[in-house]
Amino acid sequence: MKPKIRLYVQHPLGEGQPVELDRDQAHYLFGVMRLTAGAEVALFNGVDGEWRATVETAGKKAGILVCAEQTAPLRVPPDLWLLFAPIKKARTDFIVEKAAEMGARRIMPVQTEFTNSERIRQDRLQAHAVEAAEQCGGTFVPEVTDLQRLDRLLADWAPARRLMFCDEARVGQAVTLAEAAPGPWAILIGPEGGFSDAERDRLHTLDYTFSVSLGPRILRADTAAVAALTLWQNALGDWT
Ligand code: SAH
């Protein structure tokens, strides 16, 4: 039977490998979930796949698990980044969680002209990505980068990576990724205020930009992120 609890650890995993738990993990497994010695847990570290591990020692603030066997190989999502302008806290958390579930390889908050928040808690957002991977059976955790300015990011862009620019000015036009070629991609979602004219003009001049509509309605940024990830995964990703 598959262990019910999946835990992300920053520790190498392999046959017979002991894994020391930190305080929070020990509290969760032994304090909250009430596991005792001999119980089984699924572990992954984003690199070595998923392992079935057994509790060897269970304490209040510490504990040791020992890896038995690999139960799933590492599955790395397609080379897709999600660039999005952070919005209100709960909606930003939602975007990170959904992007991790939907199989983005990298999650990048970007500051655009109309972005309200000037700071994000990168560590908190990364923790959301870890939790999402634990819940959805993932063996990979996307990196959440710190907030970067969109103009600077575009100045250093490697043009081999195409940019799916979700442009609200295209609302109502046909939604299509049919002519898009596979390879490295990034999705770009704007803030509540949308993109400025200057940003839109610049984005349209870039050779690697592929501007798309997300249908006949203006979506909120968090909905737009999920919709764009769905379209991309269906057309070019690992859903087929
Ligand atoms: N305030 C803006 C809308 C912003 S919606 C306006 O009224 O025009 C937030 C982001 O979601 C947009 O910047 C865009 O990236 C994306 N988005 C929402 N609906 C979209 C649509 N129908 N087509 C393309 N992108 C869309």
Side-chain angles (χ1 to χ4, degrees):
M1 217 177 77
K2 267 204 158 221
K4 282 204 188 83
I5 299 174
R6 298 185 84 243
L7 202 62
Y8 171 81
V9 289
Q10 280 180 321
H11 199 287
L13 302 175
E15 210 178 312
Q17 172 77 55
V19 177
E20 220 172 297
L21 299 175
D22 66 28
R23 213 188 155 100
D24 288 347
Q25 291 164 335
H27 172 72
Y28 172 66
L29 290 187
F30 312 130
V32 181
M33 302 309 288
R34 306 262 162 212
L35 297 190
T36 51
E40 289 185 341
V41 179
L43 297 182
F44 67 104
N45 60 4
V47 181
D48 297 316
E50 182 191 88
W51 286 76
R52 188 167 54 77
T54 307
V55 176
E56 188 163 279
T57 53
K60 267 206 177 119
K61 295 174 186 164
I64 294 173
L65 306 181
V66 177
C67 295
E69 52 166 357
Q70 196 190 42
T71 45
L74 173 68
R75 285 180 306 265
V76 179
D79 192 357
L80 174 66
W81 298 351
L82 175 69
L83 277 56
F84 74 99
I87 39 179
K88 287 196 194 87
K89 186 173 152 295
R91 289 179 185 274
T92 299
D93 291 352
F94 176 93
I95 290 177
V96 170
E97 181 183 295
K98 298 310 155 201
E101 285 176 41
M102 295 286 297
R105 195 179 295 181
R106 205 163 186 222
I107 302 171
M108 305 173 74
V110 293
Q111 196 172 359
T112 64
E113 274 188 53
F114 300 154
T115 301
N116 294 325
S117 54
E118 267 150 37
R119 274 182 305 145
I120 54 154
R121 284 280 308 275
Q122 187 277 339
D123 56 335
R124 265 200 45 236
L125 294 179
Q126 185 67 67
H128 278 290
V130 166
E131 248 175 65
E134 284 173 344
Q135 302 263 328
C136 75
T139 48
F140 178 85
V141 178
E143 176 198 7
V144 183
T145 57
D146 229 324
L147 188 63
Q148 300 176 68
R149 282 178 51 161
L150 178 64
D151 54 355
R152 294 205 186 128
L153 201 62
L154 293 177
D156 295 335
W157 198 261
R161 181 175 300 277
R162 274 169 279 252
L163 188 64
M164 175 176 164
F165 167 37
C166 298
D167 183 1
E168 66 274 6
R170 294 202 171 232
V171 63
Q173 296 182 11
V175 180
T176 174
L177 275 178
E179 289 153 44
W185 275 84
I187 290 172
L188 174 62
I189 303 287
E192 278 156 15
F195 292 97
S196 71
D197 290 342
E199 282 172 332
R200 179 167 296 109
D201 289 348
R202 177 170 185 206
L203 283 160
H204 283 308
T205 63
L206 303 169
D207 288 343
Y208 51 82
T209 295
F210 198 98
S211 61
V212 300
S213 157
L214 298 175
R217 287 161 292 270
I218 296 278
L219 309 174
R220 294 188 82 134
D222 45 351
T223 318
V226 178
L229 286 159
T230 309
L231 282 176
W232 190 91
Q233 283 288 26
N234 188 48
L236 298 162
D238 61 10
W239 282 20
T240 44

